[in-house]
Amino acid sequence: MAGAEEKYAQPLWTSVVSGTVGGAAAVIIGYPFESVKVRLQTGQIKGIFGSLFSGLPAPLVGVTPQWALMYAAYFYSQSLLEATSLSCVERGA
């Protein structure tokens, strides 16, 4: 399986960087929507679009490393599973 070996031949840090960028993008894009939703639910209609990104650093600091670890763990586990190279019969599939 030369194709599978090439697939996981990249270093682990590339998954960490991908997870960091993906997590940051998810927070930056999703946070304004979440802010508007919460303000509408609580009835704070006045100035709803004035500070869409206020409070963004806290979730950015919390969620971004979580995504980086998740991507790295997934990549690492996939490379370990591929290294064992079990056939479909041995896997029970």
Side-chain angles (χ1 to χ4, degrees):
M1 293 181 113
E5 291 173 4
E6 293 172 5
K7 182 178 180 181
Y8 299 108
Q10 58 190 353
L12 184 63
W13 67 267
T14 58
S15 292
V16 173
V17 171
S18 299
T20 302
V21 171
V27 170
I28 291 170
I29 292 169
Y31 190 79
F33 294 110
E34 185 71 20
S35 295
V36 169
K37 180 192 74 146
V38 168
R39 289 180 187 172
L40 287 173
Q41 288 175 342
T42 58
Q44 298 175 357
I45 308 281
K46 186 176 181 183
I48 196 168
F49 296 109
S51 57
L52 289 177
F53 293 98
S54 65
L56 179 69
L60 197 60
V61 168
V63 172
T64 303
Q66 175 187 354
W67 279 63
L69 284 172
M70 185 172 51
Y71 270 55
Y74 178 77
F75 175 80
Y76 185 68
S77 63
Q78 289 293 318
S79 63
L80 284 178
L81 288 173
E82 193 62 41
T84 60
S85 69
L86 296 174
S87 69
C88 292
V89 175
E90 291 172 330
R91 286 186 210 163

